[in-house]
Amino acid sequence: MVAKATEKTTDNVNHPTHYNQGGIECIDAMKAAFGDDNVKTFCHLNAFKYLWRSHYKNGTEDLKKAAWYLNKEIELTNGK
């Protein structure tokens, strides 16, 4: 089924709606509350989780989520 132009499509990898409340992404709130170093560790561990389960749960979507978390860790490591 093709989404109509008026329907909002969900991006479960890059911007899942359940991780955005009041226009604030959860990962940004985590950075503010816990600091970049702790969020880098979280990203690393979350990537591991998604790689671990990818063959048993959501396949390619989990691999994309793992890549997203690794890219976020790289971004935080490079100070962006």
Side-chain angles (χ1 to χ4, degrees), residues 1-3 8-9 13-16 20 28 37 41 44 56 62-65 67-68 71-72 78 80:
M1 180 176 164
V2 177
K8 185 175 182 177
T9 57
V13 175
N14 296 298
H15 298 288
N20 186 319
D28 294 328
D37 286 340
T41 300
H44 192 88
Y56 308 102
D62 280 348
L63 295 174
K64 289 178 181 179
K65 288 178 180 180
W68 188 93
N71 286 328
K72 180 59 78 171
N78 291 332
K80 293 181 181 177

Side-chain angles (χ1 to χ4, degrees), residues 9-20 25-28 50 61 63-69 71-72 75:
T9 57
T10 301
D11 183 346
N12 285 331
V13 175
N14 296 298
H15 298 288
T17 56
H18 54 279
Y19 286 134
N20 186 319
E25 293 275 345
C26 182
I27 197 87
D28 294 328
Y50 283 116
E61 182 176 283
L63 295 174
K64 289 178 181 179
K65 288 178 180 180
W68 188 93
Y69 279 105
N71 286 328
K72 180 59 78 171
E75 179 183 306

